[in-house]
Amino acid sequence: MLATPRILLIIGGGIAAYKSLDLIRRLKERGAAVRVVMTSAAQHFITPLAAGALSHDTVFTELFDREAEQDVGHIRLSREADLVLVAPATADLMAKMAHGLADDLASAVLLANTRPVLLAPAMNPAMWANPATRRNAAQLAADGVRFVGPNAGAMAERGEDGPGRMAEPLEIADAAARLLAGEGPLTGRHVLVTSGPTHEPIDPVRYIANRSSGKQGHAIAAAAARAGARVTLVSGPVNLPDPFGVDVRRVESAREMLAAVEAALPADIAIFAAAVADWRAASEAGEKMKKDGGALPPLALIENPDILATIAHRGEGRPRLVIGFAAETQNVVAYAQAKRARKGCDWILANDVSARSGIAGGVMGGDSNAVHLITAAGVEAWPTASKGAVAERLVARIAASLDQPETSP
Ligand code: CTP
């Protein structure tokens, strides 16, 4: 880590701001220099005088402050930091960040910033669960912003419970230290992920495909990168942005996907989230097939290579942890257990893609997933969650299993 890391702490307007005073102390205990920006709403909860007394520096509050502009300015405020930490990050500040608004000092600093950003959200659980906040959080994560918390627990509002409490100052200071050190639970590991559908050509204009969106695989790649891993994402054709900090290799067909996967090895962990087409046309017509004569063209299919099984059955160079997916419409766990044995992988994440899953709009192409994790040790039922949350949980589970060498994977 840097000798004296410089942290710019932006304090938003929420009751959790009182904990930010303790946070300043915790950061300084870890050897950081802390400079504080406060929004005007934050000043309803704590005073710049208190923040300044603890940070031993000027506290900045105004976008157009003649003295401060000459002295520092909002551009320099972020440039002179190694990390920008927003605590508490209110729903309003997150919305401004996600949309690039800059109508006060805090938001202008965040828009001009080029340094890593860590957010400690704090808000009422209903605000955190609101689709607008979900969209903003997903956008910020895709933009490379890191999060610590929020935690679940009792809120300042009486009787309110659920995720929304700001993480504790010690947790935030630890997360900031890890970010400054550039480390996460998967630092030093190479994670290989496949994602999306494949397109299997029939002729120059037609292909066989499926409804996979790539959302789950891309979310896993992004979560692994946030956990510090070097990530290679081999993706079929999708309409998604490249996840931040991930090496993306684009392919079309199953055979191209297998070749790209083999070229990306060795890897410590391989996660096969792609919906690879099981079959391709036995022969690809060189010219567009015409409907002349009224006879229907024959479409003979042959089986594609099974990428997951090929890699899982490798002797030398097999990743230590090989994870497959199973999309089932019935007997989800039993079929997935059989698939785990047949394919030779360590874990299977099984999802119910039937209409009975209860997930609005379906799992394929949708934003939520309900999975069972099947390992040698047994079956874990995970609650329905966003694909981002499933990805985070999988990455945390992987990190935990790698920490236990004698029982892993
Ligand atoms: N998979 C793969 N290469 C293939 C087919 C599947 O790597 N050619 C991987 C997928 O990425 C996923 C898992 O294998 O991790 C899914 O297995 P698959 O055989 O596709 O499941 P189903 O098609 O659901 O199998 P079945 O037809 O037996 O239900």
Side-chain angles (χ1 to χ4, degrees), residues 196-202 206-210 212 236-238 251-257 275-277 279-280 304:
T198 61
H199 285 182
E200 309 296 333
I202 297 170
R206 300 182 178 91
Y207 57 83
I208 301 169
N210 60 64
S212 167
V238 295
V251 297
E252 298 258 332
S253 68
R255 284 173 299 168
E256 287 169 16
M257 187 172 273
V276 183
W279 306 284
R280 67 175 184 273
N304 263 327

Side-chain angles (χ1 to χ4, degrees), residues 136-189:
N136 292 336
Q139 182 60 56
L140 291 169
D143 293 344
V145 168
R146 311 297 179 95
F147 288 82
V148 51
N151 297 339
M155 305 297 295
E157 296 93 339
R158 240 185 287 166
E160 297 260 4
D161 211 337
R165 267 173 79 94
M166 189 168 85
E168 294 306 318
L170 272 178
E171 269 181 274
I172 300 173
D174 285 345
R178 279 200 301 275
L179 245 183
L180 283 163
E183 280 178 13
L186 294 183
T187 295
R189 312 281 187 180

Side-chain angles (χ1 to χ4, degrees), residues 272-274 276-278 305-308 324-325 327-328 339 342-343:
F272 295 89
V276 183
D278 290 319
D306 190 316
I307 304 168
L308 167 61
F325 272 75
E328 308 290 354
K339 197 168 283 177
R342 194 168 66 240
K343 300 225 179 193

